Amino acid sequence: QVQLVESGGGLVQPGGSLRLSCAASGSIFRANAMGWYRQAPGKQREWVASITDDGDTNYADSVKGRFTINGDNAKNTVYLQMNGLKPEDTAVYYCNADIRNTALGPGIAYWGQGTRVTVSS
């Protein structure tokens, strides 16, 4: 079993910054990729950013240039640095990881419990 634990959410004023962290633990051989999704009130969950084990990153257009994702493979941890936050960034942010439990096993998707980010003056 694998657990993802997020931290770093909170209340911030427009234009401010927050850094989210997500640490994976448990039966992990390798994290193929890790990333972040978010779900705003009344909306569907949407992809925000992701990073592969090779360090390749991708971002949703809505956050490109403002958010930065990076990871620490040794710690199975991923971070999301969020700058220039806007009220429309308000959401619950979920960590997602594609993890192989064994060397020959398939990648399995795991989710964290979510951390709330509120951008408001």
Side-chain angles (χ1 to χ4, degrees):
Q1 192 58 278
V2 172
Q3 297 80 40
L4 302 182
V5 178
E6 301 115 330
S7 61
L11 172 64
V12 63
Q13 293 186 343
S17 299
L18 282 175
R19 187 187 191 215
L20 306 183
S21 300
C22 171
S25 63
S27 181
I28 300 171
F29 173 77
R30 188 179 185 89
N32 298 320
M34 297 184 75
W36 294 91
Y37 287 69
R38 68 185 181 186
Q39 187 166 17
K43 295 187 177 181
Q44 290 187 331
R45 190 174 298 189
E46 64 175 2
W47 168 73
V48 175
S50 58
I51 183 168
T52 69
D53 56 356
D54 292 330
D56 292 331
T57 59
N58 283 284
Y59 299 91
D61 288 342
S62 58
V63 306
K64 202 171 293 184
R66 300 187 297 122
F67 291 9
T68 302
I69 188 171
N70 53 59
D72 185 333
N73 289 342
K75 296 181 179 179
N76 292 315
T77 299
V78 64
Y79 307 94
L80 186 68
Q81 177 66 43
M82 306 185 293
N83 299 327
L85 282 162
K86 305 175 181 180
E88 51 263 44
D89 295 318
T90 295
V92 177
Y93 284 70
Y94 296 90
C95 178
N96 169 263
D98 182 78
I99 290 176
R100 278 187 286 161
N101 302 122
T102 62
L104 299 179
I108 300 173
Y110 294 91
W111 292 90
Q113 80 287 354
T115 184
R116 185 174 302 275
V117 172
T118 302
V119 185
S120 175
S121 55

